[in-house]
Amino acid sequence: MNDMTPEREERVAGLKGLGCSRKRVEDARFTQGKGNYVDDLKMPGMLHGDFVRSPYAHARVKSINTEAAMALDGVVAVLTAADLAPLGLHWMPTLAGDKQMVLADGKVLFQGQEVAYVIARDRYIAADAVELVEVEYEELPVLTDPFEALKSDVVLREDLDPAAPGAHGPRKHPNHIFTWEAGDREATEQVLAEADVVAEEMVYYHRTHPCPLETCGCVASMDKVNGKLTLWGTFQAPHAIRTVVSLISGIEEHNIRVISPDIGGGFGNKVGAYAGYVCSVVASIVTGQPVKWVEDRMENLMTTAFARDYWMKGKIAATKEGKITGLWCHTTADHGGFDACADPTKFPAGFMNICTGSYDIPTAYLAVDGVYTNKAPGGVAYRCSFRVTEAAYFIERMIEVLAIELNMDAAELRRINFIRKDQFPYQSALGWEYDSGDYHTAWDKALNAVGYDDLRKEQAERIEAFKRGETRKLLGIGLTHFTEIVGAGPVKNCDILGLGMFDSCEIRIHPTGSAIARLGTISQGQGHATTFAQILASEIGIPADSITVEEGDTDTAPYGLGTYGSRSTPVAGAATAMAGRKIRAKAQMIAAYLLEVHDDDVEFDVDRFVIKGAPERFKTMKEIAFAAYNQAIPGIEPGLEAVSYYDPPNMTYPFGAYICVMEIDVDTGEHQIRQFYALDDCGTRINPMIIEGQVHGGLTEALAIAMGQEIAYDEMGNCKTGTLMDFFLPTAWETPHYTTDHTVTPSPHHPIGAKGVGESPNVGGVPAFSNAVHDAFRAFGLRQSHMPHDHWRIWKIADDLGLHG
Amino acid sequence: MIPAAFDYYRPKDMGDVVALLQEHGDDARVMAGGHSLIPMMKLRMAEIAHLIDLQDVAGLGGISVESGQITLGAMVTQHEIIDSDALRAAAPILHEAALQIADPQVRYMGTVGGNVANGDPGNDMPGLMQCLDATFTLVGPDGKREVAARGFYHAAYMTDRDDSEVLTSVSFAAPKGGYAYEKQKRKIGDYATAAAAVQIEKSGGVCASASIAMTNLSDTPIWSETAGAALVGTKVDDAAIAAAIAAMQADIEPVEDNRGPAAFKRHAAATVLTRAIRRAWDRA
Ligand SMILES: Cc1cc2nc3c(=O)[nH]c(=O)nc-3n(C[C@H](O)[C@H](O)[C@H](O)COP(=O)(O)OP(=O)(O)OC[C@H]3O[C@@H](n4cnc5c(N)ncnc54)[C@H](O)[C@@H]3O)c2cc1C
């Protein structure tokens, strides 16, 4: 068919490779209700689990009486810590090197903690039996404030030796978990002491929750005949879960199969291991039947991993002209009753040390103290790469506070402090090497796009009109320039529970020239099946439509650490490209053989190898694939397969410039977003449409977090936001229009230059919304007011500033 | 979020409903749209052993607008209210208010009878019906009786309705003059932080009558007679509005919750009422 060569561009387009806004292949099944989620699994004889949970935030468990529950028809068993203890499963290790009760072992540390696990014939009987379990509690004093906890005589974790160091070094107090430091304390204190100007502020990033639409759950099925355990679940890291299950249970890893089917959103909530998984596995082993556990919305919000809850005390030093000379930060981190943060082992405060942000800050110091309180454990990266959201919010608030202190325009202050393009790769004062960036270009593009100077004029006029009593609405202009750190990560410094954070891809080309690729990651809505096929299409010249991408089954997929922290594209995407290159290398040899020339005399051209200088003589990848299987080629093994395990040399550093223009009603505290402009630079853009979708979704989460979403407790430790009536999840109604834009600064070390984008909008969006609120009140003297900026809190700002007359 | 076990009944006539209510007393509850009751059952805040579905009971539907009198069957949904042109023409405040209740999915199910009988201070229809001076018709073992909306609510979830009575319809005279239903809420599908229902009649450039009711600012809806009276005879200028607001403030008793502290709610109440009065006056 060599005479029918289509035009090169047409061939490129036909691949639907890099840069193509290819429609998501997943959507056909999702939009037609044909997804397959954990709760869709139905198996013969399947039993159902449900938890008895503590109504108290801190209490001793005096006794548990399961008699009445056991007497209910249809109840198979009720597990308590006493039943799990002989197996050593009443506690489990957390990802952060701590341990956590699977079922209450003598006491409870947060409201909703798992106390007993009921196994019944159906879900309804299980729920009724939960009510029949009688638990006698003795209430203990409750600590919900981390600062109080560090002073209190009340010891939360009586299981820990107060004198012994924790997983991350010495502990200062029985309720203290760790101190983690980065940077140069002495030098920073000296800079602060000698600076022209120092702005100081406490920045609180409140506790919130990832709240995926699908809650957490699993089905455990122990086949007693062949000794194999199959565990379906909502796991963002199925391979790591398999290893952890093996380590905890003693079942050999080859006898465990973990499957993550379709997942309805994760956002970090589905990274960790939960009591429900352990209890379901035990229940299946005990009963010999499959056991399903799926939490409800309240259980999800109240007990599975929360996010943020960082009290960040900051000091920022600058010259009179606004050049930043130093940054100091002390964070008090509220981790709840157990330290179940999902961070790489060496980073108990995640990548909080990216908190110098986009700025060339020569000297900096960060210390983080982790603290136990009577709140749910977690501290996961809610659509963020390990505390980057906290870091970005901190620095973007500190810049605004410094601008107030200097009486300077905040856009200009940013501009004069950005790391310059020629400074990359840039060594930050807190220990990172930023790979690439061009912040000034992005910033100017953003300011121009929104007409920044005109907006400031309009704002000044509005303030005058407000003072004259002509309007009750103020105008806020929220600026953010964020730098993310994603793609964990180099195995030399990133592991979770000792598991190195590489990722993987395995490719099989079928004889007729289509392919299947399997990865160690797992999509929860990111569209991996679409984008990874595009990376491969460009690498190996087989159309994306002819490539199946599969993830999530540990029996078939290569080992990998899963999907969170925007790591899929930087790590598994790189593995995909590298595996593709191995395929291409072998294809080159086959092509040369078929064309009867030397290997070096052929070159890759879109979907084929051509003879250099004679492009009319070629072999397509389709032809090569067929030959690979069906022609005896001397010196070359049959088949066309490759696998790559990719350990990235560095993180990637996506960045962006976001601007939010917001109207605020000072009487009702209501807001209206007039304009939101989001410029993202995620390096090479694989699928612009998917990027845009990710940005829209992440910005909407950011809107929620900044403007209303929180997990709040009263002083008794009761969670006040356990349902979607009180936990804000925006709908189309609350969601503004977003304008997206981009610049492209590829990562120099990533095989295709891609940096990852899924989390940028959450990281950059929160400070943009929050800064808009603050900016609206700047002229009236506001410096800092904690999120979420819901109606009453905005009203309170106005009230405190005397704007209600 | 799984309710306790219950027996389900689907009677066809009112006699059977009342008999079931009499037989099971407090253990029984009628269900209309279920959009307040079922969430409570799922949260196990209500354990109802006997659930009596009103769907098939004859004579509880229909909107009638006749010679200035409006009657809504208890099972008329919020969606039907929004959808009825006749009702919109005769009492446009209902249309405006119903559109601010919950979301379309809830409004397809939620009924006017359930909304007013529920007794939840967060419901919007009770205050609205007080503003309109509506009458509720109840049927029980002793037959039919009528109760004024303004006297129906005693405390949160405590109404004048006896356990064995069913609310069959809501009726009121077609309102005259300008109207407004103003509601502040945190998000779509939320109950009011503060809401105000206002009907005003204008005559010769001054206010001839005014009726004002507030929602979710006390443990019952608040019809503020004095707030309305403060407007009558005035040109509804700033001073009159300020007087009405002050009168309203004396009648409400907001408490702190996730929507904010009481002081904020008072401010929000003043803001929504001011806006509602202005809009109603413009329309009068
Ligand atoms: C997400 C969500 C948001 C909502 N937001 C709002 C809102 O903003 N404003 C608002 O007003 N409402 C709101 N609601 C409530 C909704 O309007 C309900 O539908 C309404 O309150 C009750 O009507 P129902 O027909 O569903 O009654 P049901 O739930 O069936 O019954 C409610 C109660 O009234 C009793 N009852 C029902 N009908 C009768 C009758 N005919 N006679 C005697 N007793 C009866 C029942 O026994 C029960 O105790 C919301 C509901 C949801 C789920």
Side-chain angles (χ1 to χ4, degrees):
Chain A
M1 301 295 141
N2 290 1
D3 51 341
M4 284 175 54
T5 310
E7 281 309 303
R8 195 166 186 279
E9 282 90 285
E10 271 175 46
R11 289 193 278 126
V12 171
L15 290 179
K16 299 190 187 167
L18 289 185
C20 167
S21 283
R22 178 182 185 225
K23 281 198 181 152
R24 285 166 38 109
V25 296
E26 297 89 342
D27 288 348
R29 72 174 185 282
F30 292 150
T31 54
Q32 294 177 39
K34 302 282 189 211
N36 181 33
Y37 299 91
V38 168
D39 209 12
D40 292 326
L41 279 175
K42 291 185 180 66
M43 300 167 78
M46 189 168 75
L47 302 172
H48 296 260
D50 196 4
F51 281 110
V52 177
R53 294 182 179 277
S54 169
Y56 301 110
H58 194 198
R60 225 169 276 298
V61 177
K62 307 283 281 182
S63 67
I64 303 175
N65 183 346
T66 62
E67 251 171 66
M70 283 301 294
L72 187 69
D73 187 31
V75 173
V76 177
V78 181
L79 300 177
T80 64
D83 302 307
L84 299 181
L87 309 166
L89 290 176
H90 54 321
W91 288 75
M92 62 180 175
T94 71
L95 296 182
D98 194 2
K99 54 180 181 151
Q100 178 175 351
M101 290 179 220
V102 173
L103 292 172
D105 184 21
K107 74 184 291 192
V108 287
L109 287 161
F110 63 94
Q111 188 185 46
Q113 188 178 326
E114 299 80 1
V115 174
Y117 185 71
V118 172
I119 305 142
R121 209 173 50 220
D122 73 40
R123 184 69 188 81
Y124 291 81
I125 295 170
D128 286 344
V130 162
E131 301 273 295
L132 296 174
V133 175
E134 295 157 22
V135 185
E136 196 191 333
Y137 297 95
E138 177 192 315
E139 286 184 71
L140 296 170
V142 172
L143 298 173
T144 57
D145 176 65
F147 299 98
E148 284 297 310
L150 285 180
K151 287 184 267 169
S152 175
D153 297 336
V154 178
V155 176
L156 301 184
R157 291 292 299 276
E158 292 160 275
D159 58 296
L160 300 176
D161 173 359
H168 308 287
R171 303 196 302 134
K172 296 190 276 208
H173 181 277
N175 298 329
H176 179 246
I177 310 172
F178 63 83
T179 301
W180 187 72
E181 290 176 283
D184 187 337
R185 179 178 187 158
E186 233 171 86
T188 307
E189 278 167 2
Q190 192 168 346
V191 168
L192 289 170
E194 291 164 4
D196 294 351
V197 180
V198 176
E200 200 173 325
E201 200 50 76
M202 172 64 96
V203 178
Y204 179 47
Y205 197 141
H206 61 292
R207 180 175 278 237
T208 182
H209 194 281
C211 193
L213 283 190
E214 178 203 29
T215 59
C216 300
C218 70
V219 176
S221 179
M222 183 73 198
D223 184 332
K224 289 203 168 174
V225 177
N226 63 19
K228 282 195 189 284
L229 170 71
T230 308
L231 183 62
W232 292 262
T234 51
F235 310 129
Q236 286 181 243
H239 302 272
I241 290 279
R242 185 185 71 192
T243 301
V244 171
V245 170
S246 176
L247 292 174
I248 297 178
S249 68
I251 302 172
E252 278 195 90
E253 213 167 342
H254 74 284
N255 276 333
I256 303 171
R257 180 179 183 187
V258 175
I259 300 174
S260 295
D262 283 331
I263 297 183
F267 312 115
N269 183 240
K270 294 171 179 170
V271 173
Y274 294 123
Y277 307 157
V278 178
C279 289
S280 304
V281 168
V282 172
S284 182
I285 293 172
V286 171
T287 62
Q289 304 285 350
V291 177
K292 179 190 274 187
W293 167 75
V294 177
E295 59 179 6
D296 67 25
R297 179 61 60 198
M298 287 182 81
E299 293 178 297
N300 180 254
L301 286 172
M302 291 173 64
T303 70
T304 46
F306 77 94
R308 325 293 194 235
D309 216 347
Y310 260 32
W311 291 91
M312 301 172 285
K313 173 99 185 156
K315 295 177 197 169
I316 188 163
T319 64
K320 288 192 295 293
E321 295 73 34
K323 188 80 193 80
I324 301 171
T325 51
L327 179 72
W328 178 96
C329 176
H330 180 269
T331 295
T332 303
D334 186 338
H335 285 224
F338 305 95
D339 186 11
C341 290
D343 293 311
T345 306
K346 293 192 192 102
F347 298 89
F351 303 154
M352 181 60 197
N353 56 330
I354 191 77
C355 67
T356 52
S358 309
Y359 311 102
D360 182 15
I361 302 180
T363 312
Y365 170 69
L366 164 73
V368 182
D369 280 306
V371 185
Y372 291 122
T373 60
N374 289 121
K375 299 184 191 168
V380 293
Y382 170 7
R383 203 174 186 140
C384 107
S385 179
F386 312 116
R387 306 291 186 179
V388 180
T389 40
E390 289 89 328
Y393 185 64
F394 169 72
I395 184 65
E396 289 303 298
R397 281 302 311 140
M398 289 310 293
I399 290 281
E400 296 281 318
V401 171
L402 179 62
I404 293 170
E405 195 80 36
L406 291 163
N407 196 22
M408 248 183 101
D409 176 76
E412 185 56 22
L413 180 60
R414 284 181 172 83
R415 189 200 314 275
I416 62 178
N417 285 290
F418 282 143
I419 300 163
R420 293 187 319 275
K421 191 179 173 183
D422 58 76
Q423 288 176 284
F424 292 95
Y426 173 82
Q427 299 292 333
S428 83
L430 293 178
W432 296 113
E433 183 184 300
Y434 292 30
D435 60 348
S436 64
D438 183 356
Y439 300 164
H440 286 97
T441 300
W443 196 236
D444 289 342
K445 192 172 180 185
L447 295 180
N448 280 332
V450 300
Y452 181 70
D453 295 338
D454 288 343
L455 281 172
R456 284 291 175 207
K457 274 188 213 122
E458 184 187 344
Q459 184 185 43
E461 284 158 19
R462 180 72 68 87
I463 290 165
E464 290 314 310
F466 181 87
K467 287 178 177 164
R468 290 192 302 268
E470 291 162 17
T471 177
R472 296 297 286 163
K473 282 192 178 170
L474 295 174
L475 187 67
I477 303 163
L479 304 175
T480 287
H481 190 289
F482 65 93
T483 295
E484 260 221 281
I485 171 171
V486 308
V491 172
K492 64 178 186 295
N493 50 22
C494 290
D495 68 85
I496 289 187
L497 289 181
L499 309 176
M501 296 181 74
F502 60 83
D503 227 291
S504 59
C505 174
E506 179 194 285
I507 305 169
R508 282 186 206 168
I509 312 293
H510 304 315
T512 50
S514 63
I516 181 164
R518 295 190 171 103
L519 291 90
T521 44
I522 175 73
S523 185
Q524 306 124 41
Q526 291 90 340
H528 289 177
T530 308
T531 48
F532 288 136
Q534 290 182 250
I535 295 176
L536 262 188
S538 290
E539 290 290 342
I540 63 175
I542 288 175
D545 288 344
S546 302
I547 302 171
T548 297
V549 173
E550 237 183 50
E551 304 171 301
D553 182 341
T554 58
D555 264 11
T556 57
Y559 203 93
L561 264 273
T563 295
Y564 43 86
S566 274
R567 62 186 301 281
S568 296
T569 295
V571 191
T576 304
M578 297 310 268
R581 286 172 197 182
K582 291 184 187 174
I583 296 276
R584 212 161 79 187
K586 183 168 179 182
Q588 179 163 4
M589 294 193 281
I590 297 169
Y593 172 81
L594 297 174
L595 291 164
E596 297 177 2
V597 293
H598 189 270
D599 291 356
D600 293 339
D601 293 335
V602 294
E603 62 185 3
F604 188 66
D605 179 46
V606 185
D607 58 352
R608 63 193 56 186
F609 278 92
V610 300
I611 294 183
K612 286 179 184 166
E616 70 288 353
R617 291 191 56 210
F618 61 83
K619 288 289 169 192
T620 64
M621 285 302 292
K622 228 176 150 69
E623 292 167 321
I624 294 166
F626 200 78
Y629 286 93
N630 301 311
Q631 200 160 335
I633 303 174
I636 299 181
E637 280 181 16
L640 196 49
E641 298 189 5
V643 56
S644 167
Y645 283 78
Y646 188 79
D647 178 13
N650 189 5
M651 313 276 183
T652 62
Y653 297 75
F655 60 94
Y658 291 177
I659 299 175
C660 172
V661 184
M662 190 186 282
E663 302 266 356
I664 288 177
D665 183 323
V666 299
D667 288 318
T668 59
E670 290 169 310
H671 69 271
Q672 198 196 341
I673 288 141
R674 198 169 87 181
Q675 186 180 6
F676 198 104
Y677 170 88
L679 178 151
D680 274 284
D681 192 321
C682 58
T684 302
R685 292 157 58 83
I686 299 166
N687 182 321
M689 185 188 69
I690 286 191
I691 292 174
E692 194 172 346
Q694 290 283 314
V695 172
H696 283 202
L699 286 177
T700 305
E701 283 178 337
L703 166 86
I705 295 167
M707 305 311 292
Q709 191 174 84
E710 67 176 321
I711 295 289
Y713 293 86
D714 67 14
E715 63 285 0
M716 300 296 292
N718 297 308
C719 179
K720 299 197 289 178
T721 50
T723 76
L724 294 184
M725 187 56 89
D726 289 310
F727 184 86
F728 176 40
L729 208 61
T731 66
W733 186 266
E734 292 84 12
T735 305
H737 177 78
Y738 303 119
T739 306
T740 57
D741 203 349
H742 62 275
T743 53
V744 177
T745 312
S747 168
H749 64 76
H750 186 277
I752 60 167
K755 288 187 168 186
V757 75
E759 301 170 335
S760 298
N762 195 322
V763 172
V766 172
F769 289 111
S770 179
N771 283 347
V773 173
H774 285 90
D775 184 67
F777 293 102
R778 177 174 167 175
F780 301 92
L782 178 68
R783 258 172 81 109
Q784 176 64 22
S785 181
H786 300 318
M787 295 188 290
H789 305 298
D790 50 4
H791 295 172
W792 79 264
R793 287 182 175 97
I794 290 186
W795 168 84
K796 181 92 173 30
I797 294 173
D799 209 55
D800 290 346
L801 295 173
L803 303 185
H804 293 141
Chain B
M1 305 257 225
I2 291 197
F6 55 86
D7 287 330
Y8 176 79
Y9 306 85
R10 199 158 171 153
K12 290 211 164 28
D13 74 58
M14 192 53 76
D16 293 345
V17 176
V18 173
L20 281 165
L21 285 172
Q22 266 188 298
E23 185 186 342
H24 300 292
D26 196 33
D27 285 343
R29 209 70 97 240
V30 296
M31 180 178 76
H35 271 52
S36 285
L37 187 56
I38 290 177
M40 297 293 270
M41 290 169 68
K42 285 182 155 186
L43 292 167
R44 295 199 179 216
M45 286 175 175
E47 294 210 6
I48 312 294
H50 304 277
L51 191 67
I52 309 162
D53 194 333
L54 294 180
Q55 269 187 82
D56 288 350
V57 178
L60 291 178
I63 297 173
S64 116
V65 182
E66 261 170 52
S67 44
Q69 191 66 19
I70 295 168
T71 302
L72 308 171
M75 291 296 282
V76 166
T77 64
Q78 291 144 17
H79 172 74
E80 288 174 278
I81 289 176
I82 294 168
D83 215 32
S84 163
D85 292 339
L87 187 60
R88 186 174 183 180
I93 194 171
L94 252 70
H95 184 88
E96 185 162 299
L99 276 172
Q100 296 179 65
I101 291 177
D103 54 50
Q105 282 164 309
V106 172
R107 298 197 294 253
Y108 285 128
M109 297 300 292
T111 66
V112 62
N115 202 298
V116 298
N118 196 23
D120 182 338
N123 280 133
D124 287 286
M125 294 278 177
L128 181 64
M129 293 307 163
Q130 291 194 339
C131 172
L132 294 170
D133 197 14
T135 301
F136 301 155
T137 303
L138 303 170
V139 169
D142 303 330
K144 214 185 234 193
R145 69 182 177 111
E146 297 197 328
V147 189
R150 291 176 186 172
F152 188 70
Y153 299 95
H154 301 318
Y157 300 102
M158 307 269 284
T159 67
D160 209 53
R161 188 182 64 85
D162 186 78
D163 280 349
S164 54
E165 287 180 309
V166 179
L167 192 150
T168 54
S169 67
V170 173
S171 56
F172 50 91
K176 299 195 185 81
Y179 66 92
Y181 194 81
E182 183 82 25
K183 176 176 176 182
Q184 178 173 352
K185 54 186 174 182
R186 296 172 297 181
K187 57 180 179 180
I188 217 68
D190 193 18
Y191 293 93
T193 300
V198 175
Q199 285 282 162
I200 298 185
E201 281 181 276
K202 193 194 268 184
S203 164
V206 297
C207 171
S209 78
S211 178
I212 291 173
M214 307 299 293
T215 289
N216 220 9
L217 293 158
S218 288
D219 69 345
T220 63
I222 296 294
W223 177 65
S224 180
E225 193 172 4
T226 46
L231 298 179
V232 176
T234 74
K235 292 192 166 131
V236 189
D237 50 15
D238 288 354
I241 293 175
I245 300 295
M248 175 276 290
Q249 294 285 11
D251 286 344
I252 62 170
E253 262 179 280
V255 292
E256 171 160 6
D257 60 18
N258 283 350
R259 293 182 179 82
F264 163 65
K265 292 189 174 180
R266 285 193 177 274
H267 195 108
T271 308
V272 294
L273 181 54
T274 304
R275 290 178 185 175
I277 292 172
R278 293 227 161 94
R279 199 161 70 235
W281 180 245
D282 280 351
R283 286 165 167 171

